[in-house]
Amino acid sequence: RQKKGYRKVYQTEIDGKNHEECLYNVFRTFNIADCIPSDYEGRFIATGDIILIDEGKLGKSYYKLIPGGWERINRIHVR
């Protein structure tokens, strides 16, 4: 039986002034070989991958990488 959905691959803190800057920093960190954390065992970020931005009391935001950039998605799409 095939498993569907998403699973957490890695968790870290990324700095940024806003979500757009955080997403840029995430993409840069995990797609440039010299920037990838030494304990990261996943692959490069690719189309279809989802990023969760957790701002604590301010809530959680989900973004999916689509051709042309990041798209904010509803949590219901993350299953």
Side-chain angles (χ1 to χ4, degrees):
R1 189 171 180 182
Q2 182 181 3
K3 283 188 170 184
K4 294 183 180 181
Y6 294 89
R7 65 179 175 81
K8 181 167 80 170
V9 175
Y10 193 74
Q11 181 174 333
T12 189
E13 291 188 17
I14 299 285
D15 291 326
K17 292 182 240 170
N18 52 42
H19 287 192
E20 186 176 295
E21 188 174 307
C22 288
L23 292 166
Y24 172 83
N25 290 338
V26 166
F27 189 85
R28 183 179 181 281
T29 299
F30 295 97
N31 279 49
I32 298 175
D34 291 341
C35 297
I36 295 174
S38 60
D39 63 337
Y40 180 68
E41 297 179 4
R43 57 171 173 71
F44 291 127
I45 292 178
T47 302
D49 288 349
I50 293 178
I51 300 295
L52 162 64
I53 297 177
D54 186 348
E55 297 180 282
K57 291 183 180 180
L58 296 176
K60 297 178 181 181
S61 301
Y62 296 86
Y63 290 87
K64 183 175 187 174
L65 184 57
I66 60 170
W70 294 96
E71 175 183 59
R72 190 172 187 158
I73 61 170
N74 192 301
R75 182 177 159 265
I76 195 115
H77 296 290
V78 184
R79 297 219 174 236

